């Protein structure tokens, strides 16, 4: 059963916004919302949370793959998201630990950007008491493709891939492409649906539509951090007989910011034009900095 995540210091979309501070809608799931909201607030923006997808761990799906026999067959575990690391930790807690004996071949733990901070000593100790058996790999570019390339040639070795099961929207190509990249690099990827990414539902964009229809002030930007968020937003807009073109017409100066090139490409494939792409997408700080820089340029014009 999923445990609700408290989200402190978030302004609901229905609240009145500042006439001076840029108003920024963001659509992240609950487990990321507080962090992005705080970063936007620190830049002097008014963050308005409009979640379009949620994530829920399903650690029971990982448990069979972490038995002594199964995990001993792995050469690597590739975590493409923060949620995948969390689900792994929850699964490990239910099993006798450490999962591996102190002697044996090296196990690679690969993660992206700031997500890798979760792979600390406590996390690794759940896997093996001998930390020399574990190698943490963080690719220079925080994309799934870079993660696959950083693992190098697989030579038929097995890599566990805790990825999301997508419910209510189409699965973006990110995970299938990631698995193809691993396979093309000579790895045997073992896909496990370690958590669910689920559409919030038909009403998730309701407050955005209401704000637009009732002319309740300007919206200066919207931040998307995944392709799933974009599709969830568009799918909800259609429930109210709205589309992206109508949003652009209502707020013609609206800036669309994407957390990295993967999200930007996904958004544009769905017909959402992107104005700001974070060049530093190892953490949300990058997209917030890029958006803030654009705001400053607009003020000077």
């Amino acid at each position: 059963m999923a445990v609700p995540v408290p989200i402190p210091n978030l302004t609901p979309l229905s609240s009145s916004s500042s006439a001076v501070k840029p108003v920024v809608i963001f659509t992240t799931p609950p487990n990321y919302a507080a962090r992005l909201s705080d970063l936007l607030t620190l830049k002097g923006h008014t963050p308005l949370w409009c979640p379009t997808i949620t994530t829920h761990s399903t650690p029971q799906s990982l448990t069979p793959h972490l038995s002594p026999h199964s995990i001993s067959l792995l050469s690597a575990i590739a975590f493409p998201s923060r949620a995948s690391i969390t689900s792994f930790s929850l699964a490990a807690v239910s099993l006798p630990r450490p999962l591996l004996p102190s002697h044996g071949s090296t196990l690679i733990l690969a993660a992206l950007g700031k997500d890798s901070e979760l792979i600390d000593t406590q996390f690794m100790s759940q896997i093996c008491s001998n930390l020399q058996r574990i190698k943490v790999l963080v690719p220079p570019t925080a994309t799934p493709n870079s993660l696959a390339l950083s693992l190098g040639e697989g030579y038929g070795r097995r890599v566990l891939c805790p990825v999301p099961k997508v419910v209510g929207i189409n699965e973006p190509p990110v995970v299938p492409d990631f698995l193809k990249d691993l396979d093309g690099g000579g790895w045997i990827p073992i896909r496990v649906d370690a958590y669910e990414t689920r559409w919030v539902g038909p009403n998730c964009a309701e407050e955005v539509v209401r704000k637009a229809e009732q002319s309740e002030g300007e919206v200066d930007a919207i931040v998307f951090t995944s392709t799933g968020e974009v599709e969830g937003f568009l799918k909800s807009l259609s429930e109210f007989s709205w589309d992206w073109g109508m949003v652009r017409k209502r707020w013609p100066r609206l800036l669309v910011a994407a957390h990295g090139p993967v999200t930007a490409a996904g958004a544009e494939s769905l017909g959402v034009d992107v104005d700001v792409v974070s060049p530093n997408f190892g953490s949300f700080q990058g997209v917030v900095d890029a958006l803030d820089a654009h705001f400053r340029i607009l003020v000077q014009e």
Side-chain angles (χ1 to χ4, degrees):
M1 180 180 295
V3 179
V5 179
I7 306 298
N9 303 320
L10 296 185
T11 305
L13 192 57
S14 57
S15 297
S16 60
S17 61
S18 166
V20 177
K21 298 179 179 179
V23 176
V24 182
I25 294 171
F26 65 105
T27 57
T28 55
N31 51 321
Y32 298 115
R35 185 154 51 102
L36 184 50
S37 178
D38 288 345
L39 290 171
L40 289 167
T41 301
L42 287 171
K43 288 292 186 181
H45 309 326
T46 300
L48 302 178
W49 186 40
C50 177
T52 61
I53 58 174
T54 60
T55 59
H56 301 288
S57 294
T58 54
Q60 65 276 8
S61 61
L62 270 171
T63 303
H65 299 275
L66 303 185
S67 67
H69 172 71
S70 295
I71 196 171
S72 67
L73 299 176
L74 300 175
S75 296
I77 303 175
F79 297 105
S81 70
R82 198 174 189 88
S84 63
I85 300 173
T86 299
S87 190
F88 183 96
S89 288
L90 292 172
V93 165
S94 66
L95 297 170
R97 288 159 290 157
L99 303 174
L100 286 172
S102 58
H103 299 288
S105 58
T106 299
L107 177 68
I108 301 170
L109 304 180
L112 298 173
K114 198 171 179 65
D115 296 349
S116 63
E117 293 177 2
L118 294 180
I119 304 180
D120 54 15
T121 299
Q122 182 178 358
F123 181 92
M124 292 185 287
S125 296
Q126 295 183 95
I127 300 173
C128 187
S129 59
N130 176 14
L131 299 186
Q132 299 300 313
R133 276 201 69 181
I134 297 176
K135 176 184 177 182
V136 178
L137 178 65
V138 183
T141 306
T143 64
N145 172 261
S146 182
L147 188 64
L149 291 174
S150 294
L151 283 168
E153 181 63 42
Y155 299 108
R157 291 176 293 170
R158 295 170 178 259
V159 53
L160 183 68
C161 304
V163 297
K165 176 182 179 181
V166 181
V167 181
I169 55 175
N170 294 316
E171 181 178 48
V174 178
V175 168
D177 288 349
F178 172 56
L179 299 176
K180 288 178 184 177
D181 288 339
L182 289 169
D183 182 69
W187 289 88
I188 300 175
I190 301 170
R191 174 175 182 154
V192 180
D193 293 335
Y195 61 101
E196 284 189 353
T197 293
R198 183 179 292 270
W199 185 40
V200 169
N203 295 326
C204 63
E206 180 178 10
E207 292 297 337
V208 176
V209 173
R210 183 186 61 77
K211 190 175 181 69
E213 290 180 337
Q214 297 182 13
S215 300
E216 294 185 359
E218 289 301 306
V219 172
D220 299 283
I222 183 167
V223 176
F224 295 115
T225 66
S226 72
T227 303
E229 292 172 32
V230 182
E231 184 179 348
F233 183 73
L234 296 177
K235 189 174 180 179
S236 180
L237 284 180
S238 68
E239 295 286 336
F240 297 96
S241 300
W242 272 64
D243 59 27
W244 180 248
M246 295 169 70
V247 172
R248 275 295 197 190
K249 185 176 180 179
R250 171 62 184 85
W251 293 301
R253 291 175 62 85
L254 179 76
L255 289 175
V256 178
H259 178 51
V262 173
T263 300
E268 292 182 346
S269 73
L270 294 169
V272 174
D273 46 323
V274 175
D275 306 294
V276 181
V277 183
S278 166
N280 174 17
F281 40 93
S283 73
F284 289 155
Q285 186 69 59
V287 70
V288 172
D289 287 346
L291 180 60
D292 187 66
H294 272 70
F295 280 142
R296 292 177 185 277
I297 291 171
L298 291 176
V299 168
Q300 293 171 2
E301 291 179 349

